[in-house]
Amino acid sequence: MTLFSNSKIGRLRLAGLLEGISLLLLIGIAVPAKHIYGNPALVRAIGPVHGMLFLWFVLNTLSVGVEQQWKFSSITWKVLIACLIPFGTFYIDYTILRKIEATSDK
């Protein structure tokens, strides 16, 4: 059994997982290392990776939202805001995306 299907929602869930992990690494490890120890190397390494994953997540969210005809006021904005909040993508995956993927597979 695979964790994420090959559907667009499965790829959105994967993007959310990777974006969420990169955000936690950036704000939990890299930024404190920069400000406490004066070592910006981790921010220089993780920052661009997180930026690319963030853009991938946002573009996938908009693509899936249009394809699935999500109402912006009820689903899309929640998914987009989630990528700005630590642990937000994990919460959205658990509460919204997993359920949508399960109903679309049937």
Side-chain angles (χ1 to χ4, degrees), residues 45-74:
I46 297 172
V49 173
H50 169 69
M52 298 281 286
L53 291 171
F54 175 82
L55 290 174
W56 182 41
F57 181 77
V58 169
L59 293 175
N60 271 320
T61 298
L62 295 173
S63 173
V64 170
V66 168
E67 181 183 284
Q68 297 286 319
Q69 297 177 344
W70 290 347
K71 287 188 77 175
F72 189 85
S73 61
S74 62

PDB file of all heavy atoms in Angstrom, residues 45-74:
ATOM      1  N   ALA A  45      21.106  26.850   3.027  1.00  0.00           N
ATOM      2  CA  ALA A  45      20.846  25.549   2.409  1.00  0.00           C
ATOM      3  C   ALA A  45      19.355  25.202   2.395  1.00  0.00           C
ATOM      4  O   ALA A  45      18.824  24.761   1.374  1.00  0.00           O
ATOM      5  CB  ALA A  45      21.626  24.462   3.148  1.00  0.00           C
ATOM      6  N   ILE A  46      18.680  25.389   3.510  1.00  0.00           N
ATOM      7  CA  ILE A  46      17.286  24.972   3.631  1.00  0.00           C
ATOM      8  C   ILE A  46      16.325  26.011   3.058  1.00  0.00           C
ATOM      9  O   ILE A  46      15.275  25.655   2.522  1.00  0.00           O
ATOM     10  CB  ILE A  46      16.948  24.667   5.109  1.00  0.00           C
ATOM     11  CG1 ILE A  46      17.802  23.503   5.601  1.00  0.00           C
ATOM     12  CG2 ILE A  46      15.474  24.341   5.285  1.00  0.00           C
ATOM     13  CD1 ILE A  46      17.693  23.233   7.086  1.00  0.00           C
ATOM     14  N   GLY A  47      16.668  27.286   3.142  1.00  0.00           N
ATOM     15  CA  GLY A  47      15.786  28.358   2.674  1.00  0.00           C
ATOM     16  C   GLY A  47      15.322  28.206   1.237  1.00  0.00           C
ATOM     17  O   GLY A  47      14.112  28.223   0.972  1.00  0.00           O
ATOM     18  N   PRO A  48      16.230  28.046   0.273  1.00  0.00           N
ATOM     19  CA  PRO A  48      15.788  27.890  -1.113  1.00  0.00           C
ATOM     20  C   PRO A  48      14.989  26.608  -1.360  1.00  0.00           C
ATOM     21  O   PRO A  48      14.049  26.606  -2.153  1.00  0.00           O
ATOM     22  CB  PRO A  48      17.100  27.861  -1.911  1.00  0.00           C
ATOM     23  CG  PRO A  48      18.090  28.537  -1.032  1.00  0.00           C
ATOM     24  CD  PRO A  48      17.677  28.236   0.367  1.00  0.00           C
ATOM     25  N   VAL A  49      15.354  25.546  -0.657  1.00  0.00           N
ATOM     26  CA  VAL A  49      14.599  24.290  -0.800  1.00  0.00           C
ATOM     27  C   VAL A  49      13.171  24.498  -0.301  1.00  0.00           C
ATOM     28  O   VAL A  49      12.202  24.091  -0.951  1.00  0.00           O
ATOM     29  CB  VAL A  49      15.293  23.143  -0.027  1.00  0.00           C
ATOM     30  CG1 VAL A  49      14.431  21.897  -0.022  1.00  0.00           C
ATOM     31  CG2 VAL A  49      16.660  22.854  -0.621  1.00  0.00           C
ATOM     32  N   HIS A  50      13.050  25.135   0.852  1.00  0.00           N
ATOM     33  CA  HIS A  50      11.715  25.415   1.380  1.00  0.00           C
ATOM     34  C   HIS A  50      10.941  26.320   0.422  1.00  0.00           C
ATOM     35  O   HIS A  50       9.736  26.116   0.200  1.00  0.00           O
ATOM     36  CB  HIS A  50      11.805  26.076   2.760  1.00  0.00           C
ATOM     37  CG  HIS A  50      10.493  26.614   3.216  1.00  0.00           C
ATOM     38  ND1 HIS A  50       9.436  25.795   3.555  1.00  0.00           N
ATOM     39  CD2 HIS A  50      10.038  27.883   3.344  1.00  0.00           C
ATOM     40  CE1 HIS A  50       8.399  26.544   3.889  1.00  0.00           C
ATOM     41  NE2 HIS A  50       8.747  27.819   3.765  1.00  0.00           N
ATOM     42  N   GLY A  51      11.587  27.310  -0.154  1.00  0.00           N
ATOM     43  CA  GLY A  51      10.925  28.204  -1.104  1.00  0.00           C
ATOM     44  C   GLY A  51      10.378  27.464  -2.311  1.00  0.00           C
ATOM     45  O   GLY A  51       9.240  27.710  -2.738  1.00  0.00           O
ATOM     46  N   MET A  52      11.157  26.553  -2.839  1.00  0.00           N
ATOM     47  CA  MET A  52      10.702  25.760  -3.989  1.00  0.00           C
ATOM     48  C   MET A  52       9.528  24.859  -3.599  1.00  0.00           C
ATOM     49  O   MET A  52       8.555  24.750  -4.349  1.00  0.00           O
ATOM     50  CB  MET A  52      11.849  24.911  -4.538  1.00  0.00           C
ATOM     51  CG  MET A  52      13.013  25.707  -5.060  1.00  0.00           C
ATOM     52  SD  MET A  52      12.717  26.373  -6.676  1.00  0.00           S
ATOM     53  CE  MET A  52      12.855  24.911  -7.648  1.00  0.00           C
ATOM     54  N   LEU A  53       9.621  24.223  -2.434  1.00  0.00           N
ATOM     55  CA  LEU A  53       8.525  23.366  -1.973  1.00  0.00           C
ATOM     56  C   LEU A  53       7.262  24.176  -1.687  1.00  0.00           C
ATOM     57  O   LEU A  53       6.148  23.719  -1.957  1.00  0.00           O
ATOM     58  CB  LEU A  53       8.958  22.581  -0.729  1.00  0.00           C
ATOM     59  CG  LEU A  53      10.023  21.517  -0.973  1.00  0.00           C
ATOM     60  CD1 LEU A  53      10.544  20.963   0.348  1.00  0.00           C
ATOM     61  CD2 LEU A  53       9.482  20.398  -1.850  1.00  0.00           C
ATOM     62  N   PHE A  54       7.440  25.371  -1.158  1.00  0.00           N
ATOM     63  CA  PHE A  54       6.307  26.266  -0.900  1.00  0.00           C
ATOM     64  C   PHE A  54       5.593  26.601  -2.212  1.00  0.00           C
ATOM     65  O   PHE A  54       4.365  26.507  -2.306  1.00  0.00           O
ATOM     66  CB  PHE A  54       6.809  27.542  -0.209  1.00  0.00           C
ATOM     67  CG  PHE A  54       5.748  28.575   0.005  1.00  0.00           C
ATOM     68  CD1 PHE A  54       4.891  28.505   1.080  1.00  0.00           C
ATOM     69  CD2 PHE A  54       5.626  29.643  -0.883  1.00  0.00           C
ATOM     70  CE1 PHE A  54       3.915  29.466   1.280  1.00  0.00           C
ATOM     71  CE2 PHE A  54       4.655  30.608  -0.689  1.00  0.00           C
ATOM     72  CZ  PHE A  54       3.794  30.521   0.388  1.00  0.00           C
ATOM     73  N   LEU A  55       6.358  26.994  -3.217  1.00  0.00           N
ATOM     74  CA  LEU A  55       5.758  27.315  -4.517  1.00  0.00           C
ATOM     75  C   LEU A  55       5.082  26.099  -5.144  1.00  0.00           C
ATOM     76  O   LEU A  55       3.994  26.210  -5.725  1.00  0.00           O
ATOM     77  CB  LEU A  55       6.812  27.887  -5.465  1.00  0.00           C
ATOM     78  CG  LEU A  55       7.325  29.272  -5.114  1.00  0.00           C
ATOM     79  CD1 LEU A  55       8.464  29.664  -6.049  1.00  0.00           C
ATOM     80  CD2 LEU A  55       6.209  30.290  -5.171  1.00  0.00           C
ATOM     81  N   TRP A  56       5.716  24.939  -5.024  1.00  0.00           N
ATOM     82  CA  TRP A  56       5.141  23.698  -5.553  1.00  0.00           C
ATOM     83  C   TRP A  56       3.802  23.425  -4.873  1.00  0.00           C
ATOM     84  O   TRP A  56       2.828  23.058  -5.524  1.00  0.00           O
ATOM     85  CB  TRP A  56       6.125  22.548  -5.354  1.00  0.00           C
ATOM     86  CG  TRP A  56       5.689  21.225  -5.898  1.00  0.00           C
ATOM     87  CD1 TRP A  56       5.055  20.980  -7.078  1.00  0.00           C
ATOM     88  CD2 TRP A  56       5.871  19.951  -5.282  1.00  0.00           C
ATOM     89  NE1 TRP A  56       4.839  19.630  -7.232  1.00  0.00           N
ATOM     90  CE2 TRP A  56       5.335  18.981  -6.142  1.00  0.00           C
ATOM     91  CE3 TRP A  56       6.462  19.548  -4.097  1.00  0.00           C
ATOM     92  CZ2 TRP A  56       5.336  17.626  -5.839  1.00  0.00           C
ATOM     93  CZ3 TRP A  56       6.468  18.191  -3.811  1.00  0.00           C
ATOM     94  CH2 TRP A  56       5.922  17.238  -4.667  1.00  0.00           C
ATOM     95  N   PHE A  57       3.742  23.608  -3.556  1.00  0.00           N
ATOM     96  CA  PHE A  57       2.509  23.378  -2.813  1.00  0.00           C
ATOM     97  C   PHE A  57       1.419  24.363  -3.235  1.00  0.00           C
ATOM     98  O   PHE A  57       0.277  23.969  -3.468  1.00  0.00           O
ATOM     99  CB  PHE A  57       2.766  23.481  -1.304  1.00  0.00           C
ATOM    100  CG  PHE A  57       1.551  23.233  -0.469  1.00  0.00           C
ATOM    101  CD1 PHE A  57       1.090  21.948  -0.265  1.00  0.00           C
ATOM    102  CD2 PHE A  57       0.854  24.287   0.098  1.00  0.00           C
ATOM    103  CE1 PHE A  57      -0.045  21.715   0.504  1.00  0.00           C
ATOM    104  CE2 PHE A  57      -0.273  24.064   0.861  1.00  0.00           C
ATOM    105  CZ  PHE A  57      -0.721  22.769   1.066  1.00  0.00           C
ATOM    106  N   VAL A  58       1.750  25.628  -3.345  1.00  0.00           N
ATOM    107  CA  VAL A  58       0.756  26.648  -3.720  1.00  0.00           C
ATOM    108  C   VAL A  58       0.227  26.387  -5.127  1.00  0.00           C
ATOM    109  O   VAL A  58      -0.991  26.407  -5.363  1.00  0.00           O
ATOM    110  CB  VAL A  58       1.351  28.069  -3.601  1.00  0.00           C
ATOM    111  CG1 VAL A  58       0.442  29.107  -4.246  1.00  0.00           C
ATOM    112  CG2 VAL A  58       1.606  28.415  -2.143  1.00  0.00           C
ATOM    113  N   LEU A  59       1.125  26.120  -6.078  1.00  0.00           N
ATOM    114  CA  LEU A  59       0.680  25.858  -7.454  1.00  0.00           C
ATOM    115  C   LEU A  59      -0.158  24.592  -7.539  1.00  0.00           C
ATOM    116  O   LEU A  59      -1.165  24.556  -8.263  1.00  0.00           O
ATOM    117  CB  LEU A  59       1.886  25.788  -8.389  1.00  0.00           C
ATOM    118  CG  LEU A  59       2.626  27.110  -8.581  1.00  0.00           C
ATOM    119  CD1 LEU A  59       3.883  26.900  -9.419  1.00  0.00           C
ATOM    120  CD2 LEU A  59       1.730  28.153  -9.216  1.00  0.00           C
ATOM    121  N   ASN A  60       0.235  23.552  -6.816  1.00  0.00           N
ATOM    122  CA  ASN A  60      -0.558  22.321  -6.793  1.00  0.00           C
ATOM    123  C   ASN A  60      -1.921  22.560  -6.167  1.00  0.00           C
ATOM    124  O   ASN A  60      -2.920  22.009  -6.624  1.00  0.00           O
ATOM    125  CB  ASN A  60       0.176  21.206  -6.035  1.00  0.00           C
ATOM    126  CG  ASN A  60       1.064  20.396  -6.936  1.00  0.00           C
ATOM    127  OD1 ASN A  60       0.696  20.088  -8.053  1.00  0.00           O
ATOM    128  ND2 ASN A  60       2.230  20.051  -6.449  1.00  0.00           N
ATOM    129  N   THR A  61      -1.968  23.349  -5.105  1.00  0.00           N
ATOM    130  CA  THR A  61      -3.249  23.642  -4.460  1.00  0.00           C
ATOM    131  C   THR A  61      -4.189  24.347  -5.428  1.00  0.00           C
ATOM    132  O   THR A  61      -5.364  23.977  -5.549  1.00  0.00           O
ATOM    133  CB  THR A  61      -3.036  24.525  -3.214  1.00  0.00           C
ATOM    134  OG1 THR A  61      -2.226  23.819  -2.279  1.00  0.00           O
ATOM    135  CG2 THR A  61      -4.366  24.890  -2.568  1.00  0.00           C
ATOM    136  N   LEU A  62      -3.682  25.346  -6.131  1.00  0.00           N
ATOM    137  CA  LEU A  62      -4.518  26.066  -7.091  1.00  0.00           C
ATOM    138  C   LEU A  62      -4.951  25.156  -8.241  1.00  0.00           C
ATOM    139  O   LEU A  62      -6.111  25.197  -8.669  1.00  0.00           O
ATOM    140  CB  LEU A  62      -3.784  27.299  -7.608  1.00  0.00           C
ATOM    141  CG  LEU A  62      -3.493  28.366  -6.545  1.00  0.00           C
ATOM    142  CD1 LEU A  62      -2.615  29.467  -7.134  1.00  0.00           C
ATOM    143  CD2 LEU A  62      -4.770  28.927  -5.961  1.00  0.00           C
ATOM    144  N   SER A  63      -4.039  24.317  -8.717  1.00  0.00           N
ATOM    145  CA  SER A  63      -4.363  23.393  -9.806  1.00  0.00           C
ATOM    146  C   SER A  63      -5.437  22.396  -9.389  1.00  0.00           C
ATOM    147  O   SER A  63      -6.413  22.176 -10.114  1.00  0.00           O
ATOM    148  CB  SER A  63      -3.093  22.666 -10.252  1.00  0.00           C
ATOM    149  OG  SER A  63      -3.395  21.664 -11.181  1.00  0.00           O
ATOM    150  N   VAL A  64      -5.265  21.801  -8.224  1.00  0.00           N
ATOM    151  CA  VAL A  64      -6.241  20.823  -7.734  1.00  0.00           C
ATOM    152  C   VAL A  64      -7.564  21.515  -7.427  1.00  0.00           C
ATOM    153  O   VAL A  64      -8.638  20.972  -7.707  1.00  0.00           O
ATOM    154  CB  VAL A  64      -5.700  20.064  -6.497  1.00  0.00           C
ATOM    155  CG1 VAL A  64      -6.787  19.243  -5.835  1.00  0.00           C
ATOM    156  CG2 VAL A  64      -4.535  19.186  -6.889  1.00  0.00           C
ATOM    157  N   GLY A  65      -7.501  22.708  -6.857  1.00  0.00           N
ATOM    158  CA  GLY A  65      -8.725  23.445  -6.554  1.00  0.00           C
ATOM    159  C   GLY A  65      -9.559  23.726  -7.789  1.00  0.00           C
ATOM    160  O   GLY A  65     -10.781  23.584  -7.770  1.00  0.00           O
ATOM    161  N   VAL A  66      -8.903  24.095  -8.872  1.00  0.00           N
ATOM    162  CA  VAL A  66      -9.618  24.346 -10.131  1.00  0.00           C
ATOM    163  C   VAL A  66     -10.148  23.034 -10.701  1.00  0.00           C
ATOM    164  O   VAL A  66     -11.311  22.943 -11.112  1.00  0.00           O
ATOM    165  CB  VAL A  66      -8.696  25.064 -11.147  1.00  0.00           C
ATOM    166  CG1 VAL A  66      -9.308  25.069 -12.529  1.00  0.00           C
ATOM    167  CG2 VAL A  66      -8.406  26.475 -10.670  1.00  0.00           C
ATOM    168  N   GLU A  67      -9.308  22.005 -10.707  1.00  0.00           N
ATOM    169  CA  GLU A  67      -9.723  20.717 -11.270  1.00  0.00           C
ATOM    170  C   GLU A  67     -10.873  20.087 -10.489  1.00  0.00           C
ATOM    171  O   GLU A  67     -11.811  19.546 -11.074  1.00  0.00           O
ATOM    172  CB  GLU A  67      -8.539  19.747 -11.288  1.00  0.00           C
ATOM    173  CG  GLU A  67      -8.886  18.396 -11.884  1.00  0.00           C
ATOM    174  CD  GLU A  67      -7.709  17.451 -11.815  1.00  0.00           C
ATOM    175  OE1 GLU A  67      -6.791  17.615 -12.635  1.00  0.00           O
ATOM    176  OE2 GLU A  67      -7.727  16.576 -10.944  1.00  0.00           O
ATOM    177  N   GLN A  68     -10.812  20.157  -9.163  1.00  0.00           N
ATOM    178  CA  GLN A  68     -11.843  19.556  -8.319  1.00  0.00           C
ATOM    179  C   GLN A  68     -13.035  20.493  -8.097  1.00  0.00           C
ATOM    180  O   GLN A  68     -13.984  20.123  -7.429  1.00  0.00           O
ATOM    181  CB  GLN A  68     -11.247  19.193  -6.952  1.00  0.00           C
ATOM    182  CG  GLN A  68     -10.158  18.165  -7.000  1.00  0.00           C
ATOM    183  CD  GLN A  68     -10.705  16.779  -7.259  1.00  0.00           C
ATOM    184  OE1 GLN A  68     -11.731  16.397  -6.713  1.00  0.00           O
ATOM    185  NE2 GLN A  68     -10.014  16.024  -8.088  1.00  0.00           N
ATOM    186  N   GLN A  69     -12.951  21.705  -8.620  1.00  0.00           N
ATOM    187  CA  GLN A  69     -13.983  22.730  -8.485  1.00  0.00           C
ATOM    188  C   GLN A  69     -14.296  23.020  -7.016  1.00  0.00           C
ATOM    189  O   GLN A  69     -15.444  23.094  -6.598  1.00  0.00           O
ATOM    190  CB  GLN A  69     -15.249  22.328  -9.246  1.00  0.00           C
ATOM    191  CG  GLN A  69     -15.010  22.200 -10.722  1.00  0.00           C
ATOM    192  CD  GLN A  69     -16.237  21.736 -11.475  1.00  0.00           C
ATOM    193  OE1 GLN A  69     -17.189  21.224 -10.920  1.00  0.00           O
ATOM    194  NE2 GLN A  69     -16.196  21.914 -12.781  1.00  0.00           N
ATOM    195  N   TRP A  70     -13.211  23.183  -6.241  1.00  0.00           N
ATOM    196  CA  TRP A  70     -13.379  23.555  -4.840  1.00  0.00           C
ATOM    197  C   TRP A  70     -13.885  24.974  -4.770  1.00  0.00           C
ATOM    198  O   TRP A  70     -13.465  25.838  -5.536  1.00  0.00           O
ATOM    199  CB  TRP A  70     -12.049  23.493  -4.095  1.00  0.00           C
ATOM    200  CG  TRP A  70     -11.489  22.138  -3.866  1.00  0.00           C
ATOM    201  CD1 TRP A  70     -12.111  20.939  -4.007  1.00  0.00           C
ATOM    202  CD2 TRP A  70     -10.153  21.835  -3.444  1.00  0.00           C
ATOM    203  NE1 TRP A  70     -11.257  19.919  -3.693  1.00  0.00           N
ATOM    204  CE2 TRP A  70     -10.054  20.441  -3.347  1.00  0.00           C
ATOM    205  CE3 TRP A  70      -9.045  22.613  -3.129  1.00  0.00           C
ATOM    206  CZ2 TRP A  70      -8.885  19.812  -2.948  1.00  0.00           C
ATOM    207  CZ3 TRP A  70      -7.887  21.990  -2.741  1.00  0.00           C
ATOM    208  CH2 TRP A  70      -7.805  20.595  -2.641  1.00  0.00           C
ATOM    209  N   LYS A  71     -14.754  25.245  -3.805  1.00  0.00           N
ATOM    210  CA  LYS A  71     -15.152  26.623  -3.534  1.00  0.00           C
ATOM    211  C   LYS A  71     -13.990  27.272  -2.797  1.00  0.00           C
ATOM    212  O   LYS A  71     -13.511  26.744  -1.801  1.00  0.00           O
ATOM    213  CB  LYS A  71     -16.406  26.672  -2.676  1.00  0.00           C
ATOM    214  CG  LYS A  71     -17.663  26.291  -3.438  1.00  0.00           C
ATOM    215  CD  LYS A  71     -18.875  26.552  -2.605  1.00  0.00           C
ATOM    216  CE  LYS A  71     -19.126  28.053  -2.641  1.00  0.00           C
ATOM    217  NZ  LYS A  71     -20.355  28.443  -1.954  1.00  0.00           N
ATOM    218  N   PHE A  72     -13.526  28.403  -3.306  1.00  0.00           N
ATOM    219  CA  PHE A  72     -12.387  29.068  -2.684  1.00  0.00           C
ATOM    220  C   PHE A  72     -12.686  29.414  -1.235  1.00  0.00           C
ATOM    221  O   PHE A  72     -11.838  29.284  -0.363  1.00  0.00           O
ATOM    222  CB  PHE A  72     -12.004  30.336  -3.459  1.00  0.00           C
ATOM    223  CG  PHE A  72     -10.723  30.946  -2.994  1.00  0.00           C
ATOM    224  CD1 PHE A  72      -9.510  30.493  -3.491  1.00  0.00           C
ATOM    225  CD2 PHE A  72     -10.716  31.932  -2.027  1.00  0.00           C
ATOM    226  CE1 PHE A  72      -8.317  31.034  -3.043  1.00  0.00           C
ATOM    227  CE2 PHE A  72      -9.532  32.488  -1.566  1.00  0.00           C
ATOM    228  CZ  PHE A  72      -8.322  32.031  -2.083  1.00  0.00           C
ATOM    229  N   SER A  73     -13.907  29.810  -0.960  1.00  0.00           N
ATOM    230  CA  SER A  73     -14.267  30.246   0.387  1.00  0.00           C
ATOM    231  C   SER A  73     -14.391  29.109   1.386  1.00  0.00           C
ATOM    232  O   SER A  73     -14.426  29.357   2.588  1.00  0.00           O
ATOM    233  CB  SER A  73     -15.574  31.032   0.341  1.00  0.00           C
ATOM    234  OG  SER A  73     -16.619  30.207  -0.143  1.00  0.00           O
ATOM    235  N   SER A  74     -14.451  27.872   0.912  1.00  0.00           N
ATOM    236  CA  SER A  74     -14.614  26.786   1.873  1.00  0.00           C
ATOM    237  C   SER A  74     -13.416  25.851   1.980  1.00  0.00           C
ATOM    238  O   SER A  74     -13.166  25.317   3.060  1.00  0.00           O
ATOM    239  CB  SER A  74     -15.863  25.963   1.538  1.00  0.00           C
ATOM    240  OG  SER A  74     -15.731  25.367   0.273  1.00  0.00           O
TER     241      SER A  74
END
